[in-house]
């Protein structure tokens, strides 16, 4: 698995050198360090069992340990649904809801298919931050959000709906959430920077700018042109602007962002990244799926089941399309056609979802 060399450094008692194995490679360990805690535990356990040389058993231990994080994420998602519905689900419905989150194709694609074991940890922490925000506990929400950033750096986009939640936080609370989240990231990354600054900065910041435009992206239409460098270096800025614009529009709806709309805002932010990233990987749809599913289950009580089926079906279908597009060795015209089709389908779905999320829950 891609992250094992970094986890080996943690297991060997040298966690602050975790980014050294990737060094200045084109594809270093690009994840922030929090996920290395459970991964380091996996390495210790695997070593104790004598399975380090057996990749199949090594992977099996990794997935068993991280399946616990998937279940933790699913439980937090169900807690969010129950809070939004104002009632606890029955035991049967709770089990079905947990399965909807933990056993969905996007979860399998991300964790098992692509080995992004950090995503359940990140999503759980974002859900925790959302719950604490709704409870008007901005300092605790900021801590959870900072830890989410230390799990996966693209979680920065979720700051947008969290601080724009007009129903739950005043300006002072938004500032507290932002300050605590920033301080958490800075304080926990500082030791790594002091010990191995060059590798940490390359792994977490600068390496991405060296990657070219890949599959599944509208930016693939610029490949080979003088404008390709713009997409290569500014795609995240474009995604952030889109997330800001759509979430700001969401705040203008009656009641602003709060309740189920907070999870709609999180889904919009995750989808904005997928719409404008320079390469669209299937695992980008994991976060989108979880947040859309929460929004859907919160609205099922109103009898609009078809909306939910269409929304979740669309997310899973787009994830499968991205799976096909991520195949290596495809000719450029096919890559460009798939990228344009993905952009058209995803951007249309995103706009329709935003419009739908602005409407109040039907009685």
């Amino acid at each position: 698995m891609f992250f094992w060399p970094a986890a080996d450094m943690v297991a060997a008692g040298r966690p602050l050198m975790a980014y050294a194995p990737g060094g200045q490679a084109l594809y270093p360990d690009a994840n922030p360090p929090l996920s290395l805690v459970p991964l380091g535990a996996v390495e210790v356990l695997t070593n104790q069992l004598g399975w380090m040389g057996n990749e199949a058993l090594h992977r099996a231990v990794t997935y068993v340990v991280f399946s616990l994080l998937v279940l933790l994420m699913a439980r937090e998602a169900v807690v969010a649904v129950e809070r939004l519905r104002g009632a606890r689900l029955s035991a049967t419905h709770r089990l079905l809801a947990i399965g909807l989150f933990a056993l969905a194709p996007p979860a399998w694609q991300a964790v098992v298919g692509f080995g992004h074991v950090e995503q359940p940890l990140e999503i759980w922490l974002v859900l925790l931050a959302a719950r604490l925000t709704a409870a008007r506990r901005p300092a605790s929400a900021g801590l959870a959000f900072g830890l989410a950033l230390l799990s996966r750096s693209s979680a920065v986009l979720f700051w947008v709906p969290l601080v724009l939640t007009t129903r739950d936080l005043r300006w002072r609370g938004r500032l507290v959430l932002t300050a605590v989240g920033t301080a958490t990231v800075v304080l926990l990354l500082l030791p790594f920077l002091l010990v191995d600054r060059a590798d940490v900065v390359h792994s977490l910041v600068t390496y991405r700018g060296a990657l070219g435009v890949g599959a599944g992206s509208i930016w693939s239409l610029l490949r080979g042109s003088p404008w390709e460098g713009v997409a290569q270096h500014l795609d995240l800025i474009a995604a952030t602007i889109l997330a800001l614009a759509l979430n700001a529009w969401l705040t203008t709806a009656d009641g602003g962002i709060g309740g189920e709309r907070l999870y709609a805002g999180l889904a919009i932010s995750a989808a904005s990244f997928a719409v404008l990233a320079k390469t669209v990987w299937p695992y980008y749809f994991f976060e989108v799926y979880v947040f859309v599913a929460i929004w859907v289950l919160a609205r099922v009580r109103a009898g609009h089941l078809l909306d939910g089926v269409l929304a979740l079906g669309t997310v899973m279908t787009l994830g499968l399309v991205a799976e096909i597009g991520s195949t290596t060795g495809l000719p450029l015209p096919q890559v460009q056609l798939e990228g344009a089709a993905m952009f058209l389908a995803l951007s249309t779905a995103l706009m329709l979802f935003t419009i739908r999320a602005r409407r109040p829950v039907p009685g």
Side-chain angles (χ1 to χ4, degrees):
M1 187 175 289
F2 194 70
F3 309 122
W4 280 338
D8 287 338
M9 299 297 286
V10 176
R14 302 179 66 197
L16 298 182
M17 293 298 294
Y19 295 96
Q24 301 296 305
L26 180 61
Y27 286 97
D29 178 3
N31 277 340
L34 189 60
S35 61
L36 293 177
V37 176
L39 270 174
V42 167
E43 295 302 272
V44 171
L45 177 59
T46 307
N47 188 49
Q48 290 294 320
L49 293 172
W51 294 351
M52 290 294 285
N54 188 317
E55 184 174 347
L57 292 175
H58 199 171
R59 285 180 177 272
V61 174
T62 303
Y63 292 140
V64 166
V65 170
F66 276 85
S67 67
L68 301 177
L69 287 177
V70 173
L71 291 174
L72 188 65
M73 175 212 74
R75 180 188 177 278
E76 187 64 35
V78 172
V79 168
V81 171
E82 290 178 332
R83 178 172 55 81
L84 293 171
R85 291 169 63 93
R88 185 177 174 85
L89 298 174
S90 67
T92 300
H93 287 160
R94 208 165 203 265
L95 185 61
L96 290 173
I98 288 175
L100 184 68
F101 291 105
L103 300 177
W108 285 90
Q109 279 181 307
V111 179
V112 178
F114 282 84
H116 278 274
V117 293
E118 83 286 353
Q119 281 187 284
L121 177 61
E122 170 227 9
I123 297 171
W124 170 61
L125 288 166
V126 171
L127 292 175
L128 184 59
R131 175 156 60 91
L132 292 167
T133 298
R136 295 181 174 86
R137 297 171 58 188
S140 298
L143 176 61
F145 176 64
L147 292 175
L149 278 172
L150 288 167
S151 304
R152 185 170 170 82
S153 54
S154 61
V156 68
L157 287 175
F158 301 132
W159 172 83
V160 176
L162 288 174
V163 298
L164 288 180
T165 174
T166 50
R167 189 183 305 178
D168 302 316
L169 293 181
R170 303 297 181 187
W171 279 106
R172 184 174 180 274
R174 298 173 197 174
L175 290 173
V176 169
L177 187 155
T178 303
V180 172
T182 302
T184 300
V185 172
V186 171
L187 290 175
L188 293 182
L189 275 184
L190 187 58
F192 293 87
L193 289 168
L194 292 175
V195 172
D196 187 21
R197 180 180 179 276
D199 291 333
V200 172
V201 172
H202 173 70
S203 298
L204 301 183
V205 182
T206 58
Y207 96 97
R208 197 176 185 280
L211 299 178
V213 175
S217 170
I218 188 63
W219 302 116
S220 64
L221 298 178
L222 301 179
R223 280 173 61 174
S225 77
W227 294 99
E228 183 177 358
V230 175
Q232 186 173 340
H233 296 286
L234 300 180
D235 63 319
L236 288 182
I237 294 177
T240 302
I241 292 172
L242 179 60
L244 279 167
L246 292 178
N247 276 281
W249 187 34
L250 200 60
T251 65
T252 64
D254 289 342
I257 294 182
E260 67 183 46
R261 280 204 193 113
L262 175 55
Y263 297 91
L266 292 169
I268 287 167
S269 297
S272 295
F273 179 64
V275 167
L276 291 174
K278 61 184 175 183
T279 301
V280 180
W281 293 102
Y283 53 86
Y284 289 176
F285 292 91
F286 188 14
E287 289 98 338
V288 182
Y289 174 86
V290 171
F291 300 133
V292 169
I294 292 173
W295 180 83
V296 164
L297 291 179
R299 298 174 66 92
V300 165
R301 67 185 185 277
H304 288 251
L305 183 60
L306 182 59
D307 283 354
V309 172
L310 289 175
L312 295 179
T314 298
V315 175
M316 288 188 283
T317 300
L318 289 172
L320 292 174
V321 172
E323 182 89 48
I324 297 170
S326 65
T327 304
T328 58
L330 295 178
L332 180 58
Q334 184 176 341
V335 170
Q336 292 177 324
L337 177 62
E338 191 265 342
M342 173 64 78
F343 175 80
L344 180 62
L346 182 53
S347 58
T348 300
L350 176 56
M351 288 303 301
L352 291 174
F353 178 78
T354 306
I355 292 169
R356 187 63 177 164
R358 282 174 49 82
R359 300 175 185 171
V361 180

mmCIF file of all heavy atoms in Angstrom, residues 214-231:
data_model
loop_
_atom_site.group_PDB
_atom_site.id
_atom_site.type_symbol
_atom_site.label_atom_id
_atom_site.label_comp_id
_atom_site.label_asym_id
_atom_site.label_seq_id
_atom_site.Cartn_x
_atom_site.Cartn_y
_atom_site.Cartn_z
ATOM 1 N N GLY A 214 -4.924 15.302 -15.621
ATOM 2 C CA GLY A 214 -5.236 13.899 -15.857
ATOM 3 C C GLY A 214 -6.619 13.682 -16.419
ATOM 4 O O GLY A 214 -7.215 14.569 -17.044
ATOM 5 N N ALA A 215 -7.172 12.508 -16.151
ATOM 6 C CA ALA A 215 -8.448 12.101 -16.738
ATOM 7 C C ALA A 215 -9.628 12.621 -15.928
ATOM 8 O O ALA A 215 -9.493 13.014 -14.766
ATOM 9 C CB ALA A 215 -8.510 10.582 -16.824
ATOM 10 N N GLY A 216 -10.796 12.606 -16.553
ATOM 11 C CA GLY A 216 -12.041 12.932 -15.873
ATOM 12 C C GLY A 216 -12.269 14.398 -15.625
ATOM 13 O O GLY A 216 -13.248 14.766 -14.977
ATOM 14 N N SER A 217 -11.393 15.258 -16.131
ATOM 15 C CA SER A 217 -11.449 16.678 -15.805
ATOM 16 C C SER A 217 -11.708 17.514 -17.052
ATOM 17 O O SER A 217 -11.195 17.227 -18.139
ATOM 18 C CB SER A 217 -10.132 17.114 -15.160
ATOM 19 O OG SER A 217 -10.072 18.520 -15.037
ATOM 20 N N ILE A 218 -12.459 18.583 -16.874
ATOM 21 C CA ILE A 218 -12.688 19.523 -17.976
ATOM 22 C C ILE A 218 -11.384 20.161 -18.422
ATOM 23 O O ILE A 218 -11.213 20.548 -19.574
ATOM 24 C CB ILE A 218 -13.709 20.614 -17.551
ATOM 25 C CG1 ILE A 218 -14.116 21.482 -18.741
ATOM 26 C CG2 ILE A 218 -13.139 21.468 -16.429
ATOM 27 C CD1 ILE A 218 -14.816 20.740 -19.842
ATOM 28 N N TRP A 219 -10.411 20.203 -17.488
ATOM 29 C CA TRP A 219 -9.116 20.789 -17.834
ATOM 30 C C TRP A 219 -8.367 19.936 -18.855
ATOM 31 O O TRP A 219 -7.388 20.417 -19.462
ATOM 32 C CB TRP A 219 -8.255 20.954 -16.586
ATOM 33 C CG TRP A 219 -8.857 21.802 -15.498
ATOM 34 C CD1 TRP A 219 -9.213 21.392 -14.251
ATOM 35 C CD2 TRP A 219 -9.164 23.198 -15.558
ATOM 36 N NE1 TRP A 219 -9.728 22.438 -13.516
ATOM 37 C CE2 TRP A 219 -9.714 23.560 -14.301
ATOM 38 C CE3 TRP A 219 -9.039 24.180 -16.546
ATOM 39 C CZ2 TRP A 219 -10.129 24.857 -14.010
ATOM 40 C CZ3 TRP A 219 -9.455 25.476 -16.257
ATOM 41 C CH2 TRP A 219 -9.999 25.797 -15.002
ATOM 42 N N SER A 220 -8.783 18.693 -19.071
ATOM 43 C CA SER A 220 -8.104 17.853 -20.058
ATOM 44 C C SER A 220 -8.230 18.421 -21.467
ATOM 45 O O SER A 220 -7.421 18.101 -22.343
ATOM 46 C CB SER A 220 -8.658 16.424 -20.017
ATOM 47 O OG SER A 220 -10.026 16.402 -20.401
ATOM 48 N N LEU A 221 -9.221 19.279 -21.682
ATOM 49 C CA LEU A 221 -9.369 19.923 -22.992
ATOM 50 C C LEU A 221 -8.216 20.876 -23.275
ATOM 51 O O LEU A 221 -7.992 21.260 -24.438
ATOM 52 C CB LEU A 221 -10.701 20.682 -23.067
ATOM 53 C CG LEU A 221 -11.974 19.836 -22.920
ATOM 54 C CD1 LEU A 221 -13.199 20.714 -22.971
ATOM 55 C CD2 LEU A 221 -12.031 18.759 -23.995
ATOM 56 N N LEU A 222 -7.486 21.276 -22.227
ATOM 57 C CA LEU A 222 -6.361 22.205 -22.391
ATOM 58 C C LEU A 222 -5.024 21.496 -22.533
ATOM 59 O O LEU A 222 -3.993 22.164 -22.680
ATOM 60 C CB LEU A 222 -6.295 23.156 -21.187
ATOM 61 C CG LEU A 222 -7.525 24.022 -20.925
ATOM 62 C CD1 LEU A 222 -7.307 24.876 -19.686
ATOM 63 C CD2 LEU A 222 -7.833 24.893 -22.136
ATOM 64 N N ARG A 223 -5.028 20.176 -22.483
ATOM 65 C CA ARG A 223 -3.752 19.458 -22.552
ATOM 66 C C ARG A 223 -3.049 19.719 -23.874
ATOM 67 O O ARG A 223 -3.645 19.662 -24.948
ATOM 68 C CB ARG A 223 -3.971 17.957 -22.348
ATOM 69 C CG ARG A 223 -4.131 17.617 -20.867
ATOM 70 C CD ARG A 223 -4.504 16.183 -20.621
ATOM 71 N NE ARG A 223 -3.519 15.228 -21.113
ATOM 72 C CZ ARG A 223 -3.594 13.906 -20.885
ATOM 73 N NH1 ARG A 223 -4.605 13.430 -20.167
ATOM 74 N NH2 ARG A 223 -2.687 13.095 -21.362
ATOM 75 N N GLY A 224 -1.762 20.057 -23.761
ATOM 76 C CA GLY A 224 -0.973 20.356 -24.942
ATOM 77 C C GLY A 224 -1.056 21.801 -25.386
ATOM 78 O O GLY A 224 -0.360 22.206 -26.324
ATOM 79 N N SER A 225 -1.889 22.600 -24.701
ATOM 80 C CA SER A 225 -2.013 24.021 -25.055
ATOM 81 C C SER A 225 -1.226 24.873 -24.062
ATOM 82 O O SER A 225 -0.850 24.405 -22.982
ATOM 83 C CB SER A 225 -3.487 24.434 -25.027
ATOM 84 O OG SER A 225 -3.931 24.600 -23.680
ATOM 85 N N PRO A 226 -0.970 26.153 -24.389
ATOM 86 C CA PRO A 226 -0.270 27.036 -23.453
ATOM 87 C C PRO A 226 -1.029 27.251 -22.138
ATOM 88 O O PRO A 226 -0.443 27.695 -21.152
ATOM 89 C CB PRO A 226 -0.149 28.345 -24.243
ATOM 90 C CG PRO A 226 -0.284 27.951 -25.682
ATOM 91 C CD PRO A 226 -1.224 26.796 -25.682
ATOM 92 N N TRP A 227 -2.330 26.958 -22.136
ATOM 93 C CA TRP A 227 -3.156 27.181 -20.952
ATOM 94 C C TRP A 227 -3.146 26.003 -19.987
ATOM 95 O O TRP A 227 -3.734 26.086 -18.915
ATOM 96 C CB TRP A 227 -4.591 27.473 -21.374
ATOM 97 C CG TRP A 227 -4.722 28.758 -22.123
ATOM 98 C CD1 TRP A 227 -4.788 28.923 -23.473
ATOM 99 C CD2 TRP A 227 -4.788 30.062 -21.556
ATOM 100 N NE1 TRP A 227 -4.900 30.247 -23.806
ATOM 101 C CE2 TRP A 227 -4.904 30.976 -22.632
ATOM 102 C CE3 TRP A 227 -4.773 30.565 -20.258
ATOM 103 C CZ2 TRP A 227 -4.982 32.349 -22.446
ATOM 104 C CZ3 TRP A 227 -4.862 31.938 -20.057
ATOM 105 C CH2 TRP A 227 -4.965 32.811 -21.143
ATOM 106 N N GLU A 228 -2.507 24.914 -20.360
ATOM 107 C CA GLU A 228 -2.497 23.745 -19.489
ATOM 108 C C GLU A 228 -1.886 24.059 -18.126
ATOM 109 O O GLU A 228 -2.325 23.557 -17.094
ATOM 110 C CB GLU A 228 -1.735 22.585 -20.136
ATOM 111 C CG GLU A 228 -1.765 21.311 -19.304
ATOM 112 C CD GLU A 228 -1.074 20.142 -19.981
ATOM 113 O OE1 GLU A 228 -0.601 20.303 -21.124
ATOM 114 O OE2 GLU A 228 -1.010 19.057 -19.365
ATOM 115 N N GLY A 229 -0.863 24.910 -18.100
ATOM 116 C CA GLY A 229 -0.210 25.273 -16.838
ATOM 117 C C GLY A 229 -1.146 25.976 -15.873
ATOM 118 O O GLY A 229 -0.979 25.871 -14.653
ATOM 119 N N VAL A 230 -2.132 26.707 -16.413
ATOM 120 C CA VAL A 230 -3.106 27.384 -15.542
ATOM 121 C C VAL A 230 -3.896 26.345 -14.746
ATOM 122 O O VAL A 230 -4.045 26.449 -13.525
ATOM 123 C CB VAL A 230 -4.064 28.262 -16.382
ATOM 124 C CG1 VAL A 230 -5.152 28.859 -15.498
ATOM 125 C CG2 VAL A 230 -3.289 29.362 -17.090
ATOM 126 N N ALA A 231 -4.399 25.343 -15.446
ATOM 127 C CA ALA A 231 -5.142 24.282 -14.767
ATOM 128 C C ALA A 231 -4.243 23.509 -13.826
ATOM 129 O O ALA A 231 -4.660 23.104 -12.730
ATOM 130 C CB ALA A 231 -5.756 23.344 -15.800
#
